[in-house]
Amino acid sequence: MMEDQVYGYIHSFQSLGAVDGPGVRYVIFMQGCPLRCAYCHNPDTWAMAGDAPACQKWTPEDVVQRVLRYKEYLKNGGVTVSGGEALMQPEFVEKLFSLLKENGMHTALDTSGVGDLKAAARVLKYTDLVLADLKFSDTGDYKTYCGASMDQVLEFLRLTESMEVPVWIRHVVVPGLNDSEGQIRKIGEIAKSFKNLTRLEILPFRKICVTKYEEMGIEFPLKDYDACSQEEIDRIEKMLGLAPGGYVR
Ligand code: SF4
């Protein structure tokens, strides 16, 4: 019997990205996210496919053909699936990654870690690297500022550990919100407790997304917070004993 065709709802593509994983990456932004992180840069990816008429419906096979046109440039990098939340469309990402692996491509999954764990495990079978944000150091703040349960994120990270998929944990620093010494040390502790952690990356909160929020008629929840400076990032990397760029092991 023929396998049912799988489709993915995609917000956009970035052909040569440099920040979402190692080397030069082809980045696929999936449509739809169940979280509402206060500092989200991509509120235009939030709406689920049915409510986002501008998103595009793709087969994994067609996406692979599109990626392979750039194969030469991606030799030391690969493909990153981001969002939105990639794990909201696990069948598509599983199929896409399996085809990319058949074509010798490195695959990275950029995820909040919120999603069905069984489906996530099927995606992780074909995933070379996970990029996951911790966002906050305690469950109360996570619920308040992201609208979801941090326990789910930690369960997802434990799954990556048990499946031995390397993980980069990233923490976006919002001055005055999640950068106290206690919060930072806790983030470091949680991140380093995972044996599969290969990089802890400290990233600055930026406000370049404000225009997007204005265009969408949504108030940016962190409009009164200052952007994070490089000095602040340097301070935090030093506090956590990280080399510049945040490498751990
Ligand atoms: S998980 Fe990512 S896309 Fe979803 S709200 Fe948070 S930052 Fe935005």
Side-chain angles (χ1 to χ4, degrees):
M1 201 166 63
M2 262 191 47
E3 208 180 305
D4 286 343
Q5 178 63 58
V6 176
Y7 294 97
Y9 294 88
I10 294 177
H11 173 273
S12 54
F13 298 98
Q14 184 186 12
S15 42
L16 300 171
V19 294
D20 293 305
V24 175
R25 320 284 308 174
Y26 194 96
V27 188
I28 299 157
F29 295 93
M30 303 302 294
Q31 183 70 44
C33 183
L35 271 66
R36 293 294 179 264
C37 304
Y39 56 71
C40 181
H41 274 191
N42 300 320
D44 45 337
T45 65
W46 287 348
M48 293 301 174
D51 302 323
C55 77
Q56 306 161 37
K57 185 177 173 184
W58 282 79
T59 66
E61 293 78 6
D62 286 344
V63 173
V64 171
Q65 287 315 310
R66 188 177 168 129
V67 169
L68 289 179
R69 298 209 298 261
Y70 296 87
K71 194 169 183 183
E72 191 54 27
Y73 302 100
L74 305 173
K75 272 192 305 216
N76 299 317
V79 178
T80 300
V81 173
S82 182
E85 174 46 66
L87 289 178
M88 288 295 103
Q89 303 185 60
E91 291 81 13
F92 173 82
V93 184
E94 177 189 354
K95 183 71 186 172
L96 175 64
F97 276 7
S98 75
L99 293 172
L100 289 168
K101 294 311 301 167
E102 281 172 19
N103 283 279
M105 307 290 294
H106 179 276
T107 55
L109 175 71
D110 181 4
T111 176
S112 66
V114 172
D116 176 74
L117 282 185
K118 281 199 184 121
R122 290 195 293 271
V123 173
L124 289 175
K125 259 173 50 189
Y126 303 104
T127 303
D128 292 312
L129 175 70
V130 167
L131 312 175
D133 287 356
L134 268 186
K135 303 179 197 288
F136 289 93
S137 60
D138 80 80
T139 51
D141 283 347
Y142 196 93
K143 185 83 190 157
T144 304
Y145 294 105
C146 301
S149 158
M150 189 173 169
D151 292 340
Q152 267 185 285
V153 178
L154 298 176
E155 272 180 43
F156 171 78
L157 287 171
R158 279 193 282 274
L159 176 67
T160 67
E161 185 180 44
S162 69
M163 293 181 70
E164 300 181 356
V165 181
V167 167
W168 287 10
I169 288 182
R170 300 187 297 176
H171 179 59
V172 176
V173 175
V174 184
L177 184 66
N178 63 3
D179 69 335
S180 73
E181 182 166 348
Q183 287 168 313
I184 294 297
R185 291 204 186 282
K186 185 85 190 292
I187 290 280
E189 246 171 61
I190 298 172
K192 290 176 186 175
S193 72
F194 292 99
K195 291 189 202 72
N196 55 333
L197 179 79
T198 55
R199 186 177 188 180
L200 173 54
E201 199 176 13
I202 306 299
L203 299 171
F205 165 61
R206 300 269 188 243
K207 295 173 84 169
I208 42 175
C209 55
V210 170
T211 333
K212 256 192 211 177
Y213 279 81
E214 281 168 3
E215 282 166 9
M216 291 176 69
I218 315 171
E219 188 175 346
F220 183 46
L222 301 187
K223 64 178 177 6
D224 296 329
Y225 284 82
D226 290 332
C228 179
S229 66
Q230 186 55 47
E231 290 70 37
E232 172 77 341
I233 297 295
D234 294 346
R235 177 185 76 81
I236 290 173
E237 284 181 346
K238 209 165 153 195
M239 191 195 296
L240 292 174
L242 302 172
Y247 283 97
V248 176
R249 22 177 120 95

